Amino acid sequence: MLLLENLKLAIFSIKSNKMRAVLTMLGIIIGITSVISISALGEASKSILNKEFDSYNKDIAVIFMSYNAEREITERDFFTEEDMALVLQKFGNKIEYLSPSPRGTSEVNYNNKKANVILEGVSADFTKMQKLDIIHGRFLSETDVSARKPVVIIDKVLAEKLFGREDAIGETLRINIDGIPSYVTVVGVYQTVPSIFSGLMTSDSTTMYLPYSLFSSSLDYQGSLNFKIKEEYSESGTQIAQEIARFMEKTKGIEENFYTSQTLAEQQGMINNILNTVSLAIGAIGAISLVVGGIGIMNIMLVSVTERTREIGIRKSLGARRKDILTQFLIESMIISAIGGLIGVALGLLFSSIVAVVMKIPQPVTPTAIFGTVLFSAIVGIFFGLYPANKAAKLDPIDALRYE
């Protein structure tokens, strides 16, 4: 019954000073809105990045030389076709794709039109490794690779730039492979799906795919092994990649840990961890405004205690106990904090909903984040309201009645 009475008194006091109460709530409102909004942006960023990674093959792995090794790199350290054959012989049941991947750059010439391209030598089943959207023609075949046919797959952008149209099947281009001028025929055109990673590329070059067998002079000097782990072994992809690295070191007689392995799933995990850390750090900064709001509550409650000193003295002289006064002012502080918290949650959810609609992702704010924010707000209200409430409860009734 006394709790209900204290609740009514707290609400009456807040109504009597509406503007002061609203200004006091602002700190809590801004704090919770910012925390939820930051949480929404963090989750949205993770969702977009994960979506981009999903467009690739998460089971892709690579093994490469440690170029920061103390000793110089020698010919023995590079990977050869024989090395790959040994890997397939031992790990063929766990990996789905392994092929030389020589790379180079070249200038393409066609009817006095020029463009820069990145040459990538691949095998016929490269599409198991990376998803390509072939819009015209076909991809490479086993015959193209084994017979060393001078055929290429080019990007739609390059086709339009050189030929003025997408469908460039049958056209012939002049490129340099390992520094040797060569003529190649276009057998396929692919389309690059726009990605947030595209903005990271500062080069205007596009990738041209051709049989790895055309790079005859560089096949014995591969700086890395790229392969795809079978889906049923994807959970242990990191371990398999490390096993292959150790196997290569042992086979080639190289010191342990000279080769480094990494999977796309590992990279995704690292980026997610970084985003989580950044979101947490920025969220903590946003939470500072909640603390500032709490200080505002404490300040106003101290003013309220001073203004209502005689009221406190009258209540105590009529039999109110210390805990009754303490509860009265503590409830008032909690109500101010709770109302500010609810408004902040509403504004934060509104912002996160706008983010979800604009970025075309599910609602990025989780119930856990909302509950945690509201709980923190309640703790702030209790913590910063405790001192003024305790000060009011300790007032001597005689001194309070004499207060003018």
Side-chain angles (χ1 to χ4, degrees):
M1 198 68 183
L2 284 175
L3 183 63
L4 183 61
E5 187 66 26
N6 283 327
L7 186 62
K8 289 180 180 179
L9 285 171
I11 293 173
F12 176 78
S13 175
I14 293 172
K15 284 183 176 179
S16 300
N17 299 277
K18 294 186 181 70
M19 182 57 68
R20 188 168 71 182
V22 170
L23 292 175
T24 305
M25 292 175 192
L26 273 179
I28 300 295
I29 293 171
I30 294 171
I32 289 187
T33 302
S34 61
V35 170
I36 292 180
S37 299
I38 290 167
S39 174
L41 288 173
E43 290 297 322
S45 300
K46 282 173 59 180
S47 178
I48 293 171
L49 277 171
N50 288 334
K51 186 177 179 181
E52 292 294 336
F53 272 107
D54 289 340
S55 66
Y56 291 85
N57 228 317
K58 287 188 179 180
D59 297 325
I60 291 176
V62 61
I63 294 173
F64 51 92
M65 294 181 287
S66 300
Y67 288 100
N68 59 348
E70 295 181 1
R71 65 174 179 81
E72 292 184 2
I73 303 297
T74 64
E75 290 186 9
R76 180 188 61 171
D77 301 324
F78 289 92
F79 299 109
T80 65
E81 290 187 83
E82 288 74 19
D83 294 331
M84 296 179 194
L86 290 173
V87 172
L88 284 173
Q89 183 179 348
K90 185 172 178 62
F91 298 94
N93 63 322
K94 295 180 180 179
I95 59 177
E96 188 173 1
Y97 174 89
L98 177 62
S99 167
S101 54
R103 293 171 65 89
T105 58
S106 177
E107 185 179 74
V108 178
N109 291 280
Y110 178 80
N111 287 347
N112 296 322
K113 294 181 181 178
K114 297 180 180 180
N116 295 317
V117 295
I118 298 171
L119 305 178
E120 184 166 350
V122 298
S123 66
D125 54 355
F126 177 73
T127 49
K128 293 180 181 178
M129 183 85 161
Q130 183 173 321
K131 298 172 184 176
L132 287 179
D133 183 13
I134 304 294
I135 56 175
H136 297 289
R138 61 175 177 83
F139 196 68
L140 303 177
S141 67
E142 292 286 355
T143 304
D144 294 332
V145 178
S146 60
R148 302 181 69 244
K149 290 186 176 181
V151 294
V152 295
I153 313 297
I154 67 172
D155 179 63
K156 166 187 167 183
V157 175
L158 181 62
E160 292 178 335
K161 182 177 181 179
L162 296 179
F163 309 111
R165 65 184 191 280
E166 290 182 13
D167 190 354
I169 306 303
E171 296 289 351
T172 301
L173 297 171
R174 184 177 181 273
I175 61 174
N176 290 318
I177 303 176
D178 287 342
I180 302 173
S182 306
Y183 287 92
V184 291
T185 303
V186 178
V187 295
V189 178
Y190 72 94
Q191 178 175 257
T192 303
V193 179
S195 163
I196 58 171
F197 299 119
S198 302
L200 301 177
M201 303 298 292
T202 56
S203 172
D204 60 352
S205 301
T206 61
T207 302
M208 177 183 290
Y209 298 99
L210 59 163
Y212 73 81
S213 51
L214 294 177
F215 291 81
S216 56
S217 62
S218 60
L219 286 178
D220 287 337
Y221 296 95
Q222 297 297 299
S224 63
L225 279 182
N226 300 295
F227 54 95
K228 178 182 180 295
I229 298 164
K230 288 185 177 179
E231 190 174 348
E232 57 265 34
Y233 293 99
S234 59
E235 292 297 324
S236 54
T238 300
Q239 181 183 345
I240 293 172
Q242 291 175 350
E243 288 176 0
I244 295 175
R246 303 292 81 80
F247 172 73
M248 278 284 90
E249 290 163 354
K250 186 176 180 180
T251 301
K252 297 167 77 67
I254 296 173
E255 66 271 19
E256 191 173 352
N257 296 322
F258 177 76
Y259 293 123
T260 302
S261 64
Q262 194 169 67
T263 65
L264 193 61
E266 283 182 283
Q267 294 179 339
Q268 181 179 4
M270 286 189 290
I271 291 176
N272 280 336
N273 287 336
I274 292 171
L275 286 175
N276 286 335
T277 302
V278 171
S279 295
L280 187 62
I282 298 177
I285 295 172
I288 292 175
S289 58
L290 274 176
V291 176
V292 174
I295 294 172
I297 290 176
M298 179 187 285
N299 183 48
I300 292 302
M301 292 307 299
L302 285 172
V303 172
S304 181
V305 169
T306 303
E307 290 177 346
R308 294 156 64 186
T309 300
R310 285 182 61 82
E311 175 193 326
I312 295 168
I314 293 171
R315 287 199 68 194
K316 281 199 166 187
S317 66
L318 293 174
R321 295 167 297 178
R322 177 179 173 178
K323 71 174 185 179
D324 297 327
I325 304 299
L326 180 73
T327 304
Q328 175 189 348
F329 283 90
L330 200 56
I331 287 175
E332 187 173 332
S333 171
M334 290 172 62
I335 288 175
I336 292 174
S337 180
I339 294 174
L342 290 173
I343 295 173
V345 167
L347 291 175
L349 286 175
L350 176 63
F351 177 80
S352 65
S353 298
I354 294 173
V355 169
V357 171
V358 172
M359 297 187 173
K360 298 178 182 179
I361 58 173
Q363 171 59 259
V365 178
T366 62
T368 303
I370 296 174
F371 176 77
T373 306
V374 173
L375 180 63
F376 186 71
S377 170
I379 292 172
V380 166
I382 295 173
F383 179 79
F384 287 98
L386 194 58
Y387 175 72
N390 190 50
K391 182 178 179 181
K394 284 182 176 180
L395 285 175
D396 183 86
I398 297 176
D399 292 336
L401 286 170
R402 288 175 178 172
Y403 184 81
E404 294 295 336

